[in-house]
């Protein structure tokens, strides 16, 4: 990626970049809707990501180009309004610039900027967090600043929440920032606290993106959030992470049936995350896979954030050989399914699943085969 970035930078701006950084995309491994309930989540930084190259300019002008977008967006140093239409992608790098002073950090004045990606966008792999973190790293390096990794993660999330206007949790930026090859990133969302956990050798990820999206996804997300908060209130705690599986069971009669189901998904999912830690420590990928599939079944029946398309893929995958487990990944209500497989799960195996899906739903899902990769870093 570095050589390609240098090449394209030179072609675009007629000179060499001064700093280059790259940040990976991520997969939500397990921990579904646990973040805003104060729980834990495990994510995987993957081996695909977004690279950003930058060279400072003396005239205060800011030029933005991307290998994935046509044309160049030319802004003055005082131009920090949100962009719309074709230029809206610039809100990610621009949002990061605007976020830096909020964390007591300097933003560079003028520069030429180029992004280049081998990560599909809008596929639930968080290309948005990747471009934010890679941007933050080049801005910081160009101005000689080296804040803690935690701060870089927070800058990225702040940009996405407040400038782009997407209310994402800490998973996206946290995993992209703290990722490590052959590891998963564990996040205790309440801190948030970040750590890494070894992933046994031979674990492969296959992502099947259905490109489906429930028409009411934003409203459904808000409803689930409200139901979780209502459950916590009914149980007399601040957040559902403060309730054990046993306490919740004992309190079933105190909650409306739907609210109880939502709470059960979250509380049991938080328990599944800690069971996954134990299974990982025992290097038992079969047990890890069963927890992933159990997470999906809980989404399907309790949290009701799955869809017939996602259920179909999970059913096909768990029946296929060399698959440890499968689940929807991300918020749900459409999107993608992730399978954890052995190394010898092949493109041919994946194709069979995609063909069965196409026979039922008309269009084949996009397939991405990936493994863990390193977190955001200067190149
Ligand atoms: P996801 O994060 O799942 O990929 P989002 O909608 O959150 O989906 O973010 C995708 C957006 O991020 C793109 O539409 C684009 O605006 C921006 N983006 C990501 N990568 C690049 C890139 N390499 N060049 C330009 N814009 C990018
Ligand atoms: Mg995103």
């Amino acid at each position: 990626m570095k050589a390609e970035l240098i090449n394209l930078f030179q072609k675009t701006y007629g000179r060499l970049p001064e700093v280059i950084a790259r940040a990976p995309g991520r997969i939500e491994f397990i921990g579904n809707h646990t973040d805003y309930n104060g729980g834990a989540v495990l994510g995987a930084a993957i081996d695909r990501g977004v690279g950003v190259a930058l060279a400072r300019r003396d005239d205060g002008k800011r030029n933005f180009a991307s290998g994935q977008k046509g044309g160049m967006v030319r802004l003055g140093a005082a131009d920090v309004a949100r962009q719309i239409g074709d230029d809206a992608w610039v809100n990610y790098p621009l949002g990061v610039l605007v976020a830096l002073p909020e964390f007591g950090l300097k933003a560079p004045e003028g520069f030429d900027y180029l992004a280049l990606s081998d990560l599909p966008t809008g596929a639930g792999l968080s290309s948005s967090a990747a471009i934010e973190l890679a941007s933050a790293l080049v801005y910081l390096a160009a101005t000689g600043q080296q804040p803690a990794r935690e701060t870089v993660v927070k800058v990225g999330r702040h940009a996405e929440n407040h400038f782009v206007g997407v209310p994402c949790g800490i998973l996206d930026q946290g995993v992209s920032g703290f990722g490590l090859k052959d590891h998963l990133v564990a996040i205790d969302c309440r801190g948030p606290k970040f750590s890494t956990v070894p992933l046994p050798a031979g674990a492969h990820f296959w992502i099947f993106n259905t490109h489906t999206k429930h028409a009411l996804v934003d409203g459904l997300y808000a409803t689930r959030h409200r139901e979780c908060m209502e459950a916590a209130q009914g149980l007399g705690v601040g957040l559902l992470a403060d309730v054990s599986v046993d306490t919740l069971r004992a309190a079933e009669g105190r909650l409306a049936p739907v609210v109880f189901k939502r709470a059960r998904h979250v509380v049991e999912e938080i328990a599944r995350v800690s069971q996954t830690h134990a299974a990982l420590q025992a290097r038992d990928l079969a047990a890890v896979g069963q927890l992933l599939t159990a997470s999906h079944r809980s989404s399907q029946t309790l949290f009701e954030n799955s869809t017939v398309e996602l259920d179909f893929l999970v059913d096909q995958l768990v029946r296929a050989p060399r698959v440890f487990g499968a689940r929807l990944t991300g918020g749900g209500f459409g999107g993608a399914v992730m399978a954890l497989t052995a190394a010898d799960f092949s493109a041919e195996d994946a194709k069979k699943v995609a063909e069965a899906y196409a026979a039922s739903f008309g269009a084949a899902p996009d397939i991405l085969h990936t493994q863990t990769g390193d977190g955001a870093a200067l190149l």
Side-chain angles (χ1 to χ4, degrees), residues 9 15-19 53-57 110-113 142:
F9 194 96
R15 62 184 180 134
L16 287 172
E18 289 176 326
V19 281
L54 179 137
R56 283 166 301 162
R57 300 175 60 100
F111 53 77
D112 293 328
Y113 171 109

Side-chain angles (χ1 to χ4, degrees), residues 50 66 68-69 88-89 92 115-117 120-129 131 160:
V50 179
S66 164
Q68 278 61 52
K69 303 277 170 183
W89 73 269
Y92 295 89
L116 187 64
S117 173
T121 57
L125 298 170
S126 210
S127 69
S128 58
I131 193 171
E160 181 134 0

Side-chain angles (χ1 to χ4, degrees), residues 121-181:
T121 57
L125 298 170
S126 210
S127 69
S128 58
I131 193 171
E132 286 153 11
L133 292 203
S135 299
L137 288 183
V138 293
Y139 297 152
L140 291 163
T143 47
Q145 303 172 94
Q146 281 181 307
R149 198 183 285 239
E150 226 123 343
T151 309
V152 179
V153 164
K154 285 184 188 160
V155 165
R157 183 183 180 193
H158 191 275
E160 181 134 0
N161 290 169
H162 300 284
F163 197 83
V164 180
V166 176
C168 63
I170 195 63
L171 175 76
D172 299 359
Q173 292 80 14
V175 174
S176 185
F178 282 86
L180 188 62
K181 190 169 164 29

Side-chain angles (χ1 to χ4, degrees), residues 183-222:
H183 289 70
L184 297 176
V185 178
I187 307 179
D188 174 347
C189 296
R190 194 133 37 172
K193 286 196 205 84
F194 306 93
S195 55
T196 54
V197 187
L199 181 68
H204 285 241
F205 300 113
W206 290 79
I207 311 288
F208 297 80
N209 183 13
T210 64
H211 292 286
T212 57
K213 187 178 167 185
H214 199 294
L216 303 173
V217 61
D218 292 341
L220 286 165
Y221 213 99

